[in-house]
Amino acid sequence: MSQESFYKEISEAIVSLDREKAISFAKKAIEENMNLLDVVEKGFGAGIRRIGELWEEGEFFLPELMLGGNIVQESMEILLPFLKANKEDIMSGKVVIATIEGDIHSIGKTIVATMLSANGFEVYDLGADVSAEKIINTALEKNANIIGVSALLTTTMIGQKKLIEILQDKGIRDKFKVILGGAPVTQNWVNECQADGYADNAIEAVKLIKKLMD
Ligand code: B12
């Protein structure tokens, strides 16, 4: 089977909410030593995004969206530790990352955190639904170089801007590079927030941080 058709099968298993198949594909990918980041992004990520579209089109309802999210989350728990094992091109630098307050979407943020950690960064992943204050206090405490803030909802994106405003008000904006992420984030939004950049996926996030650390 070609890689592309394997990714397609994974995506189809997610869309059919077939937990067992999804888990067995995750295990197969590890056993066969595949490129796990591609498996995550092109297989599981594609599947969950398709579920989001079907939900938007009214084909799926909230319980299906939630079940799909759980299946992907569970598959990620199997895959991500193996992604970590592939350390190469070690970088130094500390990153505090979280999904902003009011937003419980965690899958994409966790993938980014894992990829950064696999690239040698010291990563503090605070999880989802985290207040700007907590993110900033952790960044200060850990003496972080980078703060990464994820938001998947148009209603919670404003929290990304608020976090930067708090840094400005405290006079500590220059202490950190702040990068944004999540499906609704655009370059315009980055400009409006006066953030230092954004990335559409985990590979771009690693490249962006390496550039900012130079
Ligand atoms: C799965 C999912 C859920 C799951 C989340 C499970 C979990 N543990 O994360 C559940 C079921 C809980 C959920 C709930 C809701 N959801 Co939802 N959800 C999704 C869905 C289908 C996929 C998100 C996902 O995991 N994508 C896969 C990952 C791999 O991609 P990603 O998140 O974009 O992350 C990548 C990049 O963005 C980037 N990135 C992400 N974070 C960061 C951070 C940094 C620093 C950087 C640099 C990069 C980066 O790299 C990642 C890896 O490639 C999206 C649809 C979509 N297209 O996004 C809707 C979606 C985000 N949800 C939506 C909505 C409305 C909701 C609910 C409000 C529904 C409801 N009525 O209750 C609730 C919100 C609850 C809350 N308060 O947060 C809407 C948002 C609409 C909007 N414009 O605001 C979407 C767009 C669906 C839609 N098409 O309408 N959801």
Side-chain angles (χ1 to χ4, degrees):
M1 193 198 305
S2 78
Q3 303 231 321
E4 295 307 320
S5 54
F6 183 58
Y7 302 147
K8 196 156 170 264
E9 277 210 51
I10 296 174
S11 172
E12 282 167 5
I14 301 301
V15 175
S16 3
L17 304 172
D18 190 333
R19 180 183 168 278
E20 268 171 40
K21 240 188 192 171
I23 302 276
S24 76
F25 284 149
K27 291 182 177 160
K28 184 175 169 185
I30 294 165
E31 278 160 22
E32 298 193 2
N33 221 352
M34 294 185 176
N35 179 333
L36 296 186
L37 187 64
D38 278 349
V39 169
V40 165
E41 291 276 2
K42 298 180 183 167
F44 291 93
I48 192 66
R49 289 191 185 104
R50 180 71 194 125
I51 287 187
E53 286 167 13
L54 291 167
W55 184 67
E56 211 169 0
E57 290 160 14
E59 296 268 334
F60 271 13
F61 296 99
L62 195 57
E64 287 146 330
L65 181 67
M66 289 175 71
L67 183 56
N70 287 341
I71 295 173
V72 172
Q73 188 102 322
E74 229 181 298
S75 312
M76 290 302 100
E77 278 162 24
I78 298 173
L79 286 164
L80 294 183
F82 289 88
L83 205 63
K84 272 189 183 165
N86 280 332
K87 284 199 187 220
E88 49 176 51
D89 200 10
I90 299 296
M91 286 289 295
S92 59
K94 292 183 196 168
V95 185
V96 171
I97 189 166
T99 305
I100 201 70
E101 194 162 22
D103 197 324
I104 61 169
H105 294 89
S106 60
I107 297 171
K109 179 269 307 155
T110 306
I111 296 173
V112 172
T114 308
M115 267 307 280
L116 290 173
S117 167
N119 279 271
F121 290 96
E122 200 174 316
V123 179
Y124 299 90
D125 181 349
L126 306 184
D129 189 14
V130 186
S131 71
E133 289 75 12
K134 184 170 175 192
I135 299 172
I136 293 171
N137 287 341
T138 310
L140 284 168
E141 197 183 297
K142 303 293 179 194
N143 207 6
N145 311 93
I146 309 266
I147 296 179
V149 197
S150 187
L152 266 283
L153 298 170
T154 41
T155 48
T156 55
M157 285 169 83
I158 193 73
Q160 297 176 317
K161 192 166 184 223
K162 201 180 96 191
L163 183 141
I164 294 175
E165 284 166 1
I166 298 175
L167 291 174
Q168 287 162 344
D169 290 347
K170 286 183 186 273
I172 51 172
R173 176 64 186 90
D174 293 346
K175 263 182 156 330
F176 312 103
K177 300 282 185 200
V178 182
I179 61 165
L180 310 181
V185 174
T186 60
Q187 185 59 47
N188 277 346
W189 180 242
V190 169
N191 298 346
E192 195 177 326
C193 295
Q194 299 182 358
D196 296 294
Y198 84 110
D200 277 335
N201 58 55
I203 293 184
E204 291 302 318
V206 173
K207 279 192 201 152
L208 172 67
I209 296 194
K210 283 184 176 168
K211 202 174 97 197
L212 291 172
M213 294 283 297
D214 265 348

